[in-house]
Every structure is written in structure tokens, then in C-alpha cells.
Amino acid sequence: MYQKFLDFIESNGLFRSDDRILIGVSGGVDSMVMAHLFLKAGFTFAIAHCNFGLRGEESENDQEFVQSFSSEHDLAFHTKKFDTEKFASENKLSVQMAARRLRYRWFDQLRQRYNYDVIAMGHNKDDLVETFFINIARGTGLKGITGIKPRNHDIVRPLLFATREEIVKHSADNDIAFREDSSNQTVKYSRNKIRHHIIPEFQ
């Protein structure tokens, strides 16, 4: 996976080897594998973690886990706690959409304040397929059908070449610790309905 990671970055012009990169790390398997690949490659990067306060003690433990990883590897660490449900209510958004808006807004503020060149997110090939189905369900045009791009302005996605299964296997093979988000198992969110029910039917 490591060589595929480097090849994907180069072939898609995601960033230069001397760029300063901010990576979003939730503590889940995707972002933790990405963080370890960045470490192995020797890139200059910092970590940003959003605490959306949606899962009580579990959210706090996620933050502590990512902060501990950052300290262990002497990485700059940024974190912020959001009142996601309040923001969603005030702006008439779903909780997931509110979290997305808060995350990207804050990440961009960090990028500008600390002069990071790009922001790296841990989206993978499965996320691309799920987003395609979400966009279709919303009645998207041609733009939505294209799904997630490897680079969109200052946002880069260096794991978009890999499936979730490949990422999980890499974490197991390399003893990469991660946190499991219990909300991934519920089907009250549209993405999870697609992940757990619709995509298996197509497979």
C-alpha cells in the first residue's frame, strides 16, 4: 500500500514532498492508516481533530487517542470541540451535514492561520462509491455523478486509490491502532444505509 500511496500522490499532483500539510484525523482506521503512511514517507504534517460532541465519553476518548498519537510522534496537534447539534438546529441542517460544514470551515481557518499548503482527508474508494449513490438519490446532475475528486482546491485525498477492506488489512498487518466509531453501525444516517444495505446488493 505504501508504494501505491506515493504513486497516487505523484500521479494526481496532490502535493509536493516539501509542502506543509494538515491532515484530518478522527482516530478511525482510514485516518490512522493515512497518518502512519505520512510518517513513513517523511512528509511535514500536522494533525487536526474535530470533537463533534455527539457520542459523549466516546468522543472524548477519540480526542485523547489522537492527541496521544500526535504527542508520541512529536506532531503539531489542533483540536476543537463543536456544539454540532445546536449548529445543525440553527442552520436547519442534518447533523452529518452540520459536522461536515463545521469541519471544513475550521480546517480552512487552520490552513490559513498556520500556512499549510493543503488539507489531507482520509476518504477511500468506498467513500467515493457511497457518495455517488448519495448524489444520485438527491437527484444530482453530471457534476455529482463524478463523486469525490483526488484534489479539490486545497483538499487532497491520498487514500482514494484504496478500498476500506485494503485499509483495514493494512492496519492489521502493520499493527496500526485505531478507534471504532459506534455510529458507523447505525442506519439512521443515509450514508450508512447505503453502506450496509444498498452497496451489498450491488456487490
Side-chain angles (χ1 to χ4, degrees):
M1 176 173 280
Y2 175 64
Q3 191 56 52
K4 288 182 178 179
F5 170 74
L6 296 179
D7 291 345
F8 187 77
I9 291 169
E10 182 177 2
S11 63
N12 288 278
L14 299 190
F15 51 82
R16 299 184 299 271
S17 60
D18 59 347
D19 278 348
R20 299 180 71 250
I21 304 156
L22 179 68
I23 73 171
V25 178
S26 66
V29 64
D30 300 329
S31 60
M32 290 306 299
V33 164
M34 180 174 69
H36 278 272
L37 289 171
F38 268 79
L39 279 173
K40 185 173 182 178
F43 295 135
T44 301
F45 69 100
I47 286 179
H49 174 80
C50 296
N51 183 340
F52 294 113
L54 296 171
R55 292 174 289 112
E57 185 178 353
E58 189 176 335
S59 293
E60 300 304 316
N61 291 340
D62 288 349
Q63 179 178 321
E64 291 175 9
F65 173 75
V66 178
Q67 187 166 4
S68 176
F69 171 82
S70 302
S71 297
E72 179 184 348
H73 296 284
D74 197 26
L75 299 167
F77 175 70
H78 309 280
T79 189
K80 186 171 182 177
K81 188 168 184 176
F82 300 95
D83 190 338
T84 311
E85 291 181 333
K86 180 181 178 182
F87 183 83
S89 176
E90 290 175 347
N91 292 275
K92 296 180 174 57
L93 298 168
S94 69
V95 170
Q96 282 201 318
M97 188 59 70
R100 183 181 187 279
R101 186 173 297 182
L102 289 167
R103 176 172 61 244
Y104 282 109
R105 180 190 296 174
W106 180 57
F107 282 1
D108 193 57
Q109 290 170 352
L110 289 174
R111 180 189 63 79
Q112 295 182 58
R113 180 176 180 182
Y114 294 99
N115 297 313
Y116 295 117
D117 294 291
V118 293
I119 301 163
M121 305 294 287
H123 296 113
N124 58 53
K125 194 178 288 185
D126 290 53
D127 292 312
L128 191 155
V129 175
E130 291 161 11
T131 299
F132 168 82
F133 279 107
I134 288 171
N135 290 342
I136 288 292
R138 289 173 178 164
T140 186
L142 290 176
K143 183 178 180 181
I145 291 175
T146 61
I148 304 173
K149 297 179 180 179
R151 177 160 187 164
N152 187 9
H153 302 294
D154 302 311
I155 304 294
V156 298
R157 299 176 174 91
L159 288 188
L160 211 54
F161 68 91
T163 65
R164 186 169 290 117
E165 183 179 359
E166 289 170 333
I167 292 169
V168 170
K169 183 178 185 304
H170 182 81
S171 73
D173 291 345
N174 293 274
D175 296 319
I176 296 174
F178 63 91
R179 297 269 302 167
E180 186 64 57
D181 184 343
S182 61
S183 68
N184 287 337
Q185 302 308 314
T186 179
V187 293
K188 71 177 182 178
Y189 300 124
S190 58
R191 181 175 292 274
N192 288 352
K193 289 179 184 177
I194 289 169
R195 177 180 301 173
H196 295 300
H197 295 304
I198 295 176
I199 290 178
E201 290 296 325
F202 274 84
Q203 290 173 332

